[in-house]
Amino acid sequence: MNEKLSREVFRFSAPPSIKSFASVVGKKEADGPLGKYFDVCDEDSYFGEDTWEKAESRLQKLAVRTALSKARLDASDIDFMFAGDLVNQCTSSTYGLRELNIPLFGIYGACSTMAEGLLLSAMAVNAGYAGLSLNVTSSHFSTAERQFRFPLSYGGQRTPSSQWTCTASGAVVLSAEGTAPCILGGAVGTVTDFGITDANNMGAAMAPAAASVITKYLCVTKTKPTDYDAIVTGDLGEVGSGLLYDLLMREGTDIREVHRDCGVMIFDGETQDTHAGGSGCGCSASVLCGYFLKKLCDGEMKNILFAATGALMSPMIVEQGETIPSISHLVHISSEKNRTES
Amino acid sequence: MNEKLSREVFRFSAPPSIKSFASVVGKKEADGPLGKYFDVCDEDSYFGEDTWEKAESRLQKLAVRTALSKARLDASDIDFMFAGDLVNQCTSSTYGLRELNIPLFGIYGACSTMAEGLLLSAMAVNAGYAGLSLNVTSSHFSTAERQFRFPLSYGGQRTPSSQWTCTASGAVVLSAEGTAPCILGGAVGTVTDFGITDANNMGAAMAPAAASVITKYLCVTKTKPTDYDAIVTGDLGEVGSGLLYDLLMREGTDIREVHRDCGVMIFDGETQDTHAGGSGCGCSASVLCGYFLKKLCDGEMKNILFAATGALMSPMIVEQGETIPSISHLVHISSEKNRTES
């Protein structure tokens, strides 16, 4: 049912089809360069709720409902789902999704969650465990800032390397049957730690994880960067993207021509005061579901590698003197169902 | 490669073998009724570290190292692992396991983590994605109490329904090849919420999730409780176990004869002042790896259902007036590799 190319790299023999996908964002994301691509925008940062955590739960549920309705599916059609988010105890997922009554595998990969979920979901569908599997993740500026950095009302100055946590969510339904776009394969990430300790420089913490998983996939599949229309990273931002280029150049790999970073794409740093770019699980999830999957459906792109990156930062243990490890999982998404790599 | 019996219940056609397993506990757990079964006990609650979070990271790594060394395996032999824990951002797993360099799927299922990980791990091995897959989880009394309830130095009174978070960890290595015990099948849990709001009554919050997944598995596989030597729940404790019996009796199912709860088993409530029992991801993980897997290896037991239960409690959102949802995943572990259910 699948081809195992190395310890952590797979190619699927029955590539799961992307049956539906949806993106939901807040006002700032809708005002950015990708605004027209997103399915739903709610200008109310509370999404009709009275706390930010409840707002993010509502946001995530809205992404799932939108993905289901676009494919005329009911929640009961989904075999099971993979979901997680940044709020402690993955609150947005467990509270946001409970009324759907879909069996749930909770996952935690920080901002790599969309790639981790897509990989697990594709593994499950390819192997026949699910006919339809869903994955979803989200982030919210206000839940993340107070949990990981400062209370918003503190009004702290943001450093040049800091990123802006997106209020956004993305959801994808994979199907055992159907046409392209589909998930051809992927790679499981390994925790990587280059000794970064600055909670306002997540891009630097995550770049080594992205470099590692991209190098592994290219090497094992014997492909080169220009075989892809885009090699997409999650939320390295301007600072992390530059470090990624440096790290890959040391291995003799130049991805600059095809590299796109969701964190760089989602905001206009010059006019939106977002410093190094966007971040959060919802950043890469909404840009994948809003922009890249539409480009794959339209035929404007044929093959992308999607490597969402997660900083596995615990504010408590960083205060105890620890560094910030990171992880990045990768999936290969194609508009050609039967493509075989060279 | 597998038989899908219903939306969320599987039976594996190539049941993954349990190649190795290990349990590590703290002093209080070693002093309890199951003390002699655990592989390693460290009487130092800091496990040689200077903070509790680092201690739990060390504890989890020790469980993995012990499981690997019992089977004469190196970390590099493992294809990938599933790990998670209770500390915010799954700190014990990501920090504890990073130096092992094993590709990681981070999961979050609160105290259901060992069952969730075993199910995902078995799905991956059965489908050929991994030859050897590992899963591990942990909990620590001191990290959990301060994160979910009160600072220890506050000296708060504990209610009769409260449980004692175990300082414990369990790790299991699954293999595509080998003999019994093995994982015959399992069921994915669904988030369940019966409206409990008391953070000191986790057993009551979790009982409906356990009842749901046990009922589904028995029903779909057309088996009855006495077909198993034990139906094991994670950490319902005395209060939650009683509620589980009531809920199942309403469905006409009486599991009392074969029910064992890890939270009830691990401490002697009369002499150890643990109130309703033990809890935490490490409770069911260590009792599975310390007690039940040994009984299956020795031939004293032939078939068990292991349904670890997780209260998906977010202290922040409970303070915002929310209830406590829960989830329970189930795996069927057998000492007979080719057993077919009636």
Side-chain angles (χ1 to χ4, degrees), chain A residues 51 98 106 123 129 193 320, chain B residues 51 98 116 123 129 193 320:
Chain A
T51 72
R98 76 187 145 174
M123 288 165 71
Y129 296 116
D193 196 326
Q320 292 171 10
Chain B
T51 73
R98 79 189 142 170
E116 181 183 352
M123 289 164 72
Y129 296 116
D193 195 326
Q320 292 172 10

Side-chain angles (χ1 to χ4, degrees), chain A residues 7-27:
Chain A
R7 184 187 192 188
E8 67 271 81
V9 178
F10 319 118
R11 180 153 50 186
F12 299 123
S13 56
S17 288
I18 293 174
K19 189 176 178 72
S20 187
F21 52 93
S23 52
V24 180
V25 299
K27 182 174 186 310

Side-chain angles (χ1 to χ4, degrees), chain A residues 8-9 186-190 206-225 228 230-234 236 241 244-245 247-248 251 253-255 258-261 305-309 328-331:
Chain A
E8 67 271 81
V9 178
V188 193
T190 300
M206 295 188 289
S212 163
V213 82
I214 291 168
T215 300
K216 267 180 200 152
Y217 195 79
L218 293 177
C219 178
V220 170
T221 59
K222 299 187 176 65
T223 53
K224 52 188 189 303
Y228 303 94
I231 294 179
V232 183
T233 50
L236 297 181
S241 294
L244 175 66
Y245 304 152
L247 289 166
L248 286 173
E251 310 282 330
T253 306
D254 184 354
I255 65 161
V258 294
H259 177 249
R260 307 294 297 275
D261 182 70
L305 298 184
F306 175 70
T309 39
S328 177
H329 302 281
L330 179 149
V331 285

Side-chain angles (χ1 to χ4, degrees), chain A residues 65-295:
Chain A
R65 294 262 188 225
T66 308
L68 292 176
S69 82
K70 281 171 77 174
R72 294 185 188 144
L73 291 168
D74 284 326
S76 61
D77 295 323
I78 305 296
D79 288 303
F80 46 78
M81 60 185 168
F82 295 88
D85 59 274
L86 285 173
V87 180
N88 293 340
Q89 295 87 47
C90 295
T91 296
S92 314
S93 304
T94 55
Y95 283 82
L97 306 175
R98 76 187 145 174
E99 73 178 43
L100 298 173
N101 280 315
I102 301 173
L104 168 72
F105 285 111
I107 58 176
Y108 184 76
C111 304
S112 74
T113 299
M114 182 46 95
E116 181 184 353
L118 272 177
L119 183 54
L120 283 166
S121 200
M123 288 165 71
V125 170
N126 177 63
Y129 296 116
L132 290 172
S133 173
L134 184 146
N135 42 295
V136 61
T137 188
S138 64
S139 53
H140 191 294
F141 175 74
S142 305
T143 61
E145 287 305 305
R146 83 165 159 197
Q147 180 178 292
F148 289 108
R149 293 174 193 92
F150 297 106
L152 290 181
S153 44
Y154 174 70
Q157 288 284 317
R158 301 171 60 246
T159 65
S161 62
S162 71
Q163 295 176 233
W164 190 280
T165 306
C166 296
T167 299
S169 178
V172 178
V173 178
L174 293 188
S175 168
E177 297 173 353
T179 56
C182 60
I183 313 256
L184 290 187
V188 193
T190 300
V191 178
T192 309
D193 196 326
F194 266 35
I196 303 294
T197 54
D198 178 359
N200 287 303
N201 195 354
M202 297 284 94
M206 295 188 289
S212 163
V213 82
I214 291 168
T215 300
K216 267 180 200 152
Y217 195 79
L218 293 177
C219 178
V220 170
T221 59
K222 299 187 176 65
T223 53
K224 52 188 189 303
T226 49
D227 290 337
Y228 303 94
D229 298 290
I231 294 179
V232 183
T233 50
D235 51 356
L236 297 181
E238 299 283 359
V239 177
S241 294
L243 285 168
L244 175 66
Y245 304 152
D246 290 349
L247 289 166
L248 286 173
M249 287 298 259
R250 288 188 205 169
E251 310 282 330
T253 306
D254 184 354
I255 65 161
R256 287 174 296 182
E257 193 180 330
V258 294
H259 177 249
R260 307 294 297 275
D261 182 70
C262 301
V264 172
M265 294 168 71
I266 197 165
F267 294 124
D268 178 343
E270 304 245 329
T271 62
Q272 292 191 291
D273 191 32
T274 45
H275 297 222
S279 66
C281 302
C283 176
S284 60
S286 65
V287 175
L288 176 73
C289 295
Y291 182 82
F292 288 106
L293 292 183
K294 285 177 183 163
K295 296 290 179 193

Side-chain angles (χ1 to χ4, degrees), chain B residues 224-238:
Chain B
K224 53 187 188 305
T226 50
D227 289 338
Y228 303 93
D229 298 290
I231 294 179
V232 183
T233 50
D235 50 357
L236 298 181
E238 299 281 359

